[in-house]
Amino acid sequence: MSCRILIIGATSAIATAVARRQAVGAARIFLVGRQGALLRALADDLRVRGAAEVDLEILDALDTAAHAAVVERAFARWDGFDQVLVAHGVLPDQTACERSVDAALAAFDINARSVLALALLLASRLEAQGSGAITLISSPAGERGRQSNYIYGAAKASVTVLAAGLRHRLASRGVRVLTILPGFVDTPMTASFAKGALWATPDRVAADIVRALEAGFGTIYTPWFWRWIMAIIRSVPERIFIRTRL
Amino acid sequence: MTGWSKRVSSWGRLNADLHRWTVLGDRESVVATIRHGGLPFGNGRSYGDVCLNPGGTLWSTRGLDRFIAFDGESGVVECEAGVLLGEIIDVVLPRGWFLPVAPGTRYVTVGGAIANDVHGKGHHRTGSFGDHLLSLQLVRTDGELIECSANANADWLRATIGGLGLTGVITRARLQLRRVAGAWLDADAQPFETLDAFFALSGAATRDFEYNVAWIDCAAGGRGVFFRANHSASCDPLLPPSPRRFPLEPPISLVNRLSLRAFNAAYFRAHQIRQGRRQQDYRSFFFPLDNLLEWNRIYGPRGFFQYQSLVPPVAQLEATRAMLQEISRSRMGSFLAVLKTFGDRPAPGLLSFPAAGTTLALDFPNQGENTLALFRRLDAIVLAAGGRLYPAKDARMAPSMFAAGYPRLPEFLRFRDPGIASSLSRRLLGS
């Protein structure tokens, strides 16, 4: 029986790379996202690449009232899932957010609030099922507030804590909860940034996510070296840290 | 307007000018993105300036990287134009299909392969990339969508195959693949001492081998190694690839007079010792250079040129000999020197490069005026022979040379998109 995977935010670069890797392994892939035409194009792509079956539902994650029905339909259609990936999010313009509270709240809503709402629904489903793995994509930006992107970081910090709490709650119920912390990834979200040696491709990150979904545990930095970069960044005393330009 | 400022080089790394860089992320948004003018850009593997538009906009097609359909019975694959040829192989080879035409690298996009009508070691059997194209969709900067195939808008298809990206943006294409048993080739390598021996080997191999190509020692007259192959019946599994990356840019070109002579002599001798038949995996046969990512750095910060010419059959022996003599006398050139005889099938595109005759391709480290002067001497030989140069490799030919080599150019010009221009089009076509 091939693996059933549910992907929220499926047209994001990292989620697409995960879906493509799973397609090669003949998985059954259920896509959820906001843009119908893009989702359908991705579904065709995954079928050609070898997916055993692809289905999709259109959902705007900000529309929390619609979450339950979409999750309900997805779980009913394939009688549950072995793996769930929550991958949607935006990288807000920090300066715009500092000028406009509405912009900051909008970014926080999509990066934190909608993730909380979906993760609770999905966790309960997997808990009832008594099996499966759920992965939330968070960010090293949530590990320490930095002047350059603390709005995004604050949302991701809440996702990291949410995932840790769910992991604790579901540990005894046969459900694994994974936190993925990708470093710099070369995606449309970061397209205008200058790229250096620390940057990874979405496929490199996807390889780690696929491995985590299959048999991983806890918090996974990807690429691996971010665990050590962040250990250093976390350990810098605040009095010194606030003098840096990070 | 979207996009941001970015320095972009082509594979030859001769310059790195600022461009406005915009990613085409989905087919639906192409019309809106391209209406302000620019140039489609695939994976940047063309050598010269066909993919550059300094100060202007480049539309990266790598966001259009989705497969659309694949029929495992008929071997027809449909995909977006930014899919890499290597990605197609990865998807179709396990199901018993292969590219009908494989160029020298897997890292080119479908759109780029069409726009340059790329060829491979099998031209004498299967022609060029455009010969296997069933249909494509072209989007013009004025918003017009043109579906092209042999039955509908065939004139647009002929103009777009080899059309250097100047007829519009290719968004998707359908391609007829060819059957294979597996990933292996039955190959052999035969050293030869003279150009006459090359033509004799080439003539004989045309009948019995689907693929043939020769490496030639440009520092030592006419010697070289002739490679021939057919697809093997073997279905043995492949080892996963493990490409290395050329780690840094050396301050000067590592390819010079001394290293070239030593390397070429060693390579020739190695093949004298180890000739004969063997089974070779498709990656090392078709894409040997892909195993060293960013190998173009080897030529240092000034970059390099490739000079790829075609001379017709009546003149091929004398013209090739004359070019090799010029190159050998100049003491320039590089290890990467390739000689191949094309078949005589009619070309699918108005500006297709391949035609009956012999093509010689050689890399040259950029040594400024010395290199350009050598090219002018080579140009004279090619022109006198009634030959042409390959625009996908070119960064310096004169407009008159282009016009002389491509007699259907006036016909092509009617299909140009007025919103699209490249460094190459400005240099060779005046706009």
Side-chain angles (χ1 to χ4, degrees):
Chain A
M1 183 74 186
S2 59
C3 170
R4 298 160 299 175
I5 177 166
L6 172 66
I7 304 181
I8 316 274
T11 59
S12 88
I14 292 176
T16 294
V18 169
R20 283 175 171 171
R21 281 186 165 262
Q22 298 285 32
V24 173
R28 301 168 69 197
I29 306 170
F30 201 111
L31 309 172
V32 177
R34 182 167 47 92
Q35 298 159 279
L38 267 184
L39 278 183
R40 283 186 287 275
L42 178 59
D44 289 339
D45 176 74
L46 297 172
R47 286 186 196 103
V48 171
R49 288 175 194 262
E53 189 178 353
V54 187
D55 205 340
L56 59 88
E57 281 277 347
I58 295 163
L59 172 69
D60 183 344
L62 285 173
D63 183 6
T64 44
H67 287 185
V70 167
V71 170
E72 167 75 39
R73 281 200 293 274
F75 271 78
R77 218 169 297 163
W78 286 359
D79 197 23
F81 288 95
D82 305 296
Q83 303 177 351
V84 177
L85 172 65
V86 180
H88 67 278
V90 297
L91 185 60
D93 179 337
Q94 172 84 15
T95 16
C97 286
E98 286 169 353
R99 279 195 222 107
S100 155
V101 173
D102 285 340
L105 285 176
F108 198 86
D109 277 350
I110 189 70
N111 286 336
R113 195 166 168 273
S114 76
V115 175
L116 177 100
L118 276 164
L120 285 174
L121 282 173
L122 294 164
S124 296
R125 284 285 173 169
L126 293 185
E127 185 179 29
Q129 196 177 282
S131 68
I134 174 167
T135 292
L136 304 188
I137 298 189
S138 190
S139 169
E143 306 230 291
R144 183 157 201 177
R146 292 178 295 128
Q147 50 112 15
S148 58
N149 77 342
Y150 61 89
I151 306 280
Y152 180 72
K156 287 302 191 182
S158 86
V159 171
T160 299
V161 172
L162 170 70
L166 288 173
R167 177 156 54 244
H168 197 173
R169 168 185 152 196
L170 297 177
S172 58
R173 309 299 173 92
V175 177
R176 282 179 302 121
V177 181
L178 293 311
T179 315
I180 298 283
L181 304 177
F184 297 142
V185 188
D186 189 358
T187 69
M189 195 162 100
T190 58
S192 59
F193 293 34
K195 308 291 188 313
L198 292 178
W199 286 77
T201 62
D203 188 56
R204 168 75 182 73
V205 168
D208 284 345
I209 295 176
V210 168
R211 211 171 308 126
L213 278 165
E214 269 155 26
F217 175 80
T219 299
I220 290 118
Y221 291 80
T222 168
W224 57 271
F225 53 78
W226 284 95
R227 178 177 295 276
W228 308 108
I229 294 175
M230 293 318 296
I232 293 165
I233 289 180
R234 277 196 313 270
S235 68
V236 177
E238 192 72 1
R239 280 185 191 287
I240 296 170
F241 195 79
I242 57 173
R243 281 183 227 154
T244 69
R245 300 180 60 194
L246 287 168
Chain B
M1 257 180 73
T2 55
W4 55 94
S5 206
K6 181 175 168 176
R7 292 200 179 276
V8 181
S9 298
S10 67
W11 192 242
R13 302 171 84 242
L14 290 164
N15 26 48
D17 293 313
L18 282 174
H19 291 73
R20 177 150 283 277
W21 182 261
T22 307
V23 178
L24 302 176
D26 62 286
R27 301 197 290 276
E28 276 71 24
S29 68
V30 170
V31 171
T33 310
I34 70 172
R35 66 195 158 133
H36 303 292
L39 179 74
F41 184 96
N43 208 32
R45 292 300 171 119
S46 48
Y47 286 60
D49 56 1
V50 67
C51 64
L52 298 176
N53 186 21
T57 299
L58 291 177
W59 305 307
S60 165
T61 61
R62 280 292 284 141
L64 301 173
D65 66 346
R66 299 167 197 87
F67 286 92
I68 297 168
F70 173 59
D71 182 339
E73 294 299 311
S74 65
V76 174
V77 67
E78 182 172 18
C79 64
E80 296 180 345
V83 171
L84 299 180
L85 297 191
E87 295 176 317
I88 295 183
I89 296 174
D90 291 344
V91 166
V92 304
L93 184 56
R95 295 171 226 184
W97 295 92
F98 196 72
L99 293 176
V101 169
T105 170
R106 55 181 277 134
Y107 296 112
V108 299
T109 63
V110 168
I114 296 168
N116 295 290
D117 193 22
V118 300
H119 58 270
K121 300 170 174 65
H123 181 272
H124 58 285
R125 282 283 178 84
T126 55
S128 54
F129 198 81
D131 281 309
H132 309 273
L133 199 61
L134 301 174
S135 66
L136 61 79
Q137 183 191 55
L138 193 65
V139 181
R140 305 268 289 175
T141 55
D142 64 5
E144 190 186 357
L145 302 182
I146 306 175
E147 303 287 342
C148 319
S149 67
N151 304 320
N153 299 310
D155 50 344
W156 283 97
L157 189 67
R158 273 194 298 280
T160 301
I161 294 173
L164 309 173
L166 300 172
T167 62
V169 174
I170 303 164
T171 53
R172 54 181 162 77
R174 274 169 68 242
L175 188 65
Q176 175 64 58
L177 302 168
R178 55 106 68 223
R179 270 267 180 221
V180 291
W184 298 88
L185 293 123
D186 295 319
D188 74 8
Q190 293 195 310
F192 59 86
E193 297 284 349
T194 65
L195 217 46
D196 295 282
F198 161 78
F199 282 107
L201 278 166
S202 184
T206 301
R207 285 190 308 273
D208 303 331
F209 292 87
E210 177 164 353
Y211 301 109
N212 64 57
V213 70
W215 168 80
I216 189 144
D217 183 349
C218 72
R223 75 174 179 184
V225 182
F226 195 86
F227 301 96
R228 343 176 269 192
N230 285 314
H231 284 283
S232 165
S234 162
C235 324
D236 292 345
L238 271 186
L239 293 172
S242 54
R244 291 161 205 274
R245 186 174 294 274
F246 195 75
L248 46 81
E249 179 185 81
I252 55 161
S253 171
L254 298 183
V255 179
N256 57 47
R257 211 181 274 189
L258 286 176
S259 66
L260 175 65
R261 280 192 171 274
F263 200 101
N264 279 4
Y267 187 79
F268 184 75
R269 224 158 289 132
H271 276 285
Q272 275 182 320
I273 295 163
R274 201 169 66 103
Q275 41 184 303
R277 299 213 135 215
R278 65 193 174 115
Q279 228 169 48
Q280 209 176 343
D281 108 40
Y282 79 91
R283 294 171 303 209
S284 70
F285 184 77
F286 290 112
F287 315 126
L289 289 169
D290 286 350
N291 227 5
L292 185 62
L293 301 175
E294 300 192 60
W295 60 262
N296 54 345
R297 290 174 170 182
I298 200 167
Y299 294 102
R302 298 184 74 186
F304 71 107
F305 292 92
Q306 185 171 101
Y307 191 92
Q308 181 163 7
S309 60
L310 168 78
V311 288
V314 284
Q316 61 192 11
L317 179 60
E318 286 317 311
T320 306
R321 195 190 316 267
M323 282 193 280
L324 287 171
Q325 273 165 2
E326 274 297 345
I327 293 161
S328 166
R329 199 176 308 145
S330 77
R331 305 174 121 196
M332 289 190 265
S334 76
F335 165 72
L336 293 166
V338 170
L339 195 60
K340 160 144 187 79
T341 306
F342 283 144
D344 60 1
R345 57 193 287 160
L350 295 178
L351 299 185
S352 288
F353 169 69
T358 296
T359 182
L360 173 67
L362 256 141
D363 288 1
F364 292 88
N366 175 19
Q367 296 173 12
E369 181 49 34
N370 280 347
T371 314
L372 296 172
L374 168 66
F375 290 166
R376 286 192 292 272
R377 296 197 293 278
L378 298 178
D379 286 351
I381 299 168
V382 174
L383 271 177
R388 58 170 66 141
L389 300 184
Y390 189 7
K393 308 289 180 68
D394 181 65
R396 40 67 54 193
M397 81 168 114
S400 56
M401 176 111 195
F402 187 54
Y406 294 87
R408 300 186 80 175
L409 181 58
E411 232 178 299
F412 168 80
L413 293 177
R414 290 187 287 125
F415 296 93
R416 269 196 76 175
D417 186 319
I420 297 180
S422 60
S423 286
L424 179 136
S425 77
R426 280 187 286 271
R427 178 164 61 84
L428 297 178
L429 307 174
S431 68

